[in-house]
Amino acid sequence: MAGSSHGHTPAAWTGVIIAFIGFCVAGAFMVMAQPVGFWVGIGIVLAGGVVGGIMRIMGLGQKNEHPVHQVGPREAARAES
């Protein structure tokens, strides 16, 4: 995907970092045999997805103006037929 900016946005980075922390928390509590802590970690993972989605809605995600996402005249003609 040369030339693509897929995932290089504040929304993507924030969501992934929060989810990664959640995976670390869940993994640590799983090793310590603490189910409540494990589920808290899973909740943090889900919160990462929610935060990333909210940030994308707020305009901090990838814009659809990137050249990779633009449809050229050939593709537009094919889509109409």
Side-chain angles (χ1 to χ4, degrees):
M1 294 190 87
S4 174
S5 64
H6 179 72
H8 297 280
T9 64
W13 279 101
T14 303
V16 167
I17 289 170
I18 292 171
F20 177 73
I21 292 169
F23 277 116
C24 292
V25 168
F29 279 105
M30 185 169 55
V31 170
M32 292 187 287
Q34 299 291 325
V36 174
F38 168 79
W39 288 110
V40 168
I42 296 300
I44 295 171
V45 170
L46 296 175
V50 171
V51 168
I54 290 171
M55 289 179 70
R56 182 175 57 104
I57 291 169
M58 293 173 55
L60 296 172
Q62 183 173 355
K63 310 289 187 274
N64 287 333
E65 301 165 358
H66 196 274
V68 173
H69 302 290
Q70 293 178 353
V71 178
R74 291 184 190 176
E75 290 82 10
R78 257 188 256 157
E80 291 175 358
S81 37

